[in-house]
Amino acid sequence: MEIIMSDKNVEFRNEEVRSRPKFKNNKEKIRWYLDEIDCYKEDMGKWYSWFFRRIIPILVFFFPINIVAFNLYYFVGQNYLGGIYSALPQTVGLIVWIIMYLIFIAIVIFLPRAATFFEFLIGGAFYFFVFRSITLFNEGALAKPIITNALGFTIAIVLGIFLFMKLVFLVLEIVYHIVFRGEKEPKAYKDGQDRDLVL
């Protein structure tokens, strides 16, 4: 099978090869790739900031916060409220969930960097309660585990993927700040006269 490339394709390929610098060592290569990733994030602008850092977490954590809120409510009721717990209606658990979710939304919107900590905290608590319910179910101490259907498994998988990607971007962000420590912007953005360059 013969592949025919037009002059435009050849020209584009040659331009792409020329745009990649020659790396002296692995450190320079890492700096270049980190710079490229940061450029992509900046190119997305408000889409990245609003969609990936705000809207997606609000949607992904809707059910996990429900699970965490009700389990915390039950835990506090059983261990600290004693006989009062049996008299408390389910409505209290619902109110706890709504309050937690509204606080989470406020943190995600107004403090997106701090939200990362709460996302891992809530995600960890969610998986803890899920595995705990499975253990108690296997021991016969619980009628049924938290996750019993396809929706529950989908939520657990989506949350896992979200937290994994969040961890990857967090590590890249930390490495980026270590590599470019002391620089206001990566050197690739500036020429010798402090003028912005478009790569």
Side-chain angles (χ1 to χ4, degrees), residues 3-177:
I3 300 173
I4 300 172
M5 295 182 70
S6 66
D7 292 340
K8 288 184 178 179
N9 288 338
V10 172
E11 185 180 341
F12 176 76
R13 181 63 185 157
N14 290 338
E15 184 64 31
E16 185 183 5
V17 171
R18 279 197 301 268
S19 68
R20 291 187 180 179
K22 301 282 185 184
F23 303 114
K24 296 177 184 177
N25 51 41
N26 285 335
K27 186 176 179 181
E28 288 297 319
K29 190 174 185 179
I30 291 170
R31 285 173 67 92
W32 187 82
Y33 279 110
L34 288 172
D35 196 8
E36 285 293 303
I37 292 168
D38 194 63
C39 285
Y40 288 128
K41 284 165 60 178
E42 287 194 2
D43 287 343
M44 286 190 284
K46 289 184 178 180
W47 279 103
Y48 172 77
S49 182
W50 276 98
F51 188 71
F52 290 105
R53 296 181 71 179
R54 291 177 173 92
I55 294 172
I56 288 181
I58 288 170
L59 295 175
V60 167
F61 280 88
F62 182 79
F63 286 111
I65 289 176
N66 174 289
I67 300 299
V68 171
F70 274 94
N71 278 278
L72 284 176
Y73 167 65
Y74 292 142
F75 177 80
V76 171
Q78 287 175 344
N79 293 284
Y80 299 104
L81 297 181
I84 302 174
Y85 172 74
S86 58
L88 291 176
Q90 286 280 355
T91 312
V92 177
L94 183 63
I95 292 170
V96 171
W97 171 40
I98 292 170
I99 291 171
M100 280 184 66
Y101 191 60
L102 291 176
I103 291 171
F104 178 76
I105 290 172
I107 292 171
V108 167
I109 291 174
F110 299 110
L111 301 167
R113 288 188 183 275
T116 301
F117 169 77
F118 289 100
E119 287 164 359
F120 282 107
L121 183 66
I122 294 168
F126 170 78
Y127 286 115
F128 169 77
F129 287 126
V130 167
F131 287 119
R132 182 172 172 270
S133 73
I134 293 170
T135 304
L136 292 174
F137 174 74
N138 290 335
E139 292 173 356
L142 198 65
K144 63 177 183 177
I146 290 173
I147 296 179
T148 57
N149 54 30
L151 176 62
F153 287 109
T154 303
I155 290 167
I157 291 168
V158 168
L159 180 63
I161 293 170
F162 174 83
L163 291 176
F164 175 76
M165 293 305 297
K166 194 81 174 182
L167 183 63
V168 169
F169 278 100
L170 181 63
V171 169
L172 287 174
E173 189 81 17
I174 291 169
V175 173
Y176 181 88
H177 285 293

